[in-house]
Amino acid sequence: MLREVRERLYELNFDPGPFEGPMSSTTHEAVREFEQANKLASTGEVTQGLLRRLRDISKASNKWGMSWALDTRKAAVASARASCGDAASCPVEISFFGTECGVFTYSESSWAIVARADMQKAKESALSDCHKKGKTCRVVASVCADGAQRVSGTE
């Protein structure tokens, strides 16, 4: 359960620290940040309720924020959140930095965010990951870290 919580926090741009190992102060802080951003009681604790909330978060809204061409993950996250608007109505931000291309796919029962060196490979991988749990996955957004090949919307 702890690994899945960490993975989901990371996918939502909260830094939980390493995915393996015991609960750390970094993970507690990421949980608190997530709770505050979602107007939940700030406990910093990993619970089944938290995991359920993290699993359901992508179903809450069809609104996403995106960023690209930034030097650090922190800058990319801040830009993605700003591009989306109100955090209460925008539970998912998509940020890519570095040199790869990223794709976000979504269905009512699943979603996936994948980064690869090539846009086509990123799309294929994201759709494949999403289709493992959902039948009608669609590309919501795609962009390379340098801003090239940006698509926002459905395909």
Side-chain angles (χ1 to χ4, degrees), residues 35-113:
E35 290 168 333
Q36 290 170 356
N38 289 277
K39 296 184 171 86
L40 303 171
S42 183
T43 66
E45 298 301 318
V46 172
T47 64
Q48 281 298 124
L50 173 71
L51 181 56
R52 276 192 302 276
R53 176 76 176 182
L54 287 165
R55 286 174 177 164
D56 291 343
I57 199 79
S58 65
K59 297 176 188 175
S61 171
N62 283 327
K63 187 175 179 187
W64 297 276
M66 285 181 57
S67 71
W68 59 91
L70 296 164
D71 294 330
T72 66
R73 178 175 169 76
K74 186 174 183 176
V77 169
S79 178
R81 288 183 177 155
S83 77
C84 189
D86 177 34
S89 65
C90 183
V92 180
E93 303 90 19
I94 306 161
S95 57
F96 300 106
F97 66 102
T99 60
E100 294 189 323
C101 300
V103 175
F104 176 39
T105 56
Y106 174 83
S107 78
E108 288 299 317
S109 59
S110 182
W111 57 276
I113 298 174

Side-chain angles (χ1 to χ4, degrees), residues 105 112 114 122-134 137:
T105 56
V114 173
K123 284 182 182 180
E124 290 168 3
S125 183
L127 285 167
S128 175
D129 286 356
C130 184
H131 283 301
K132 289 177 184 174
K133 295 181 183 173
C137 296

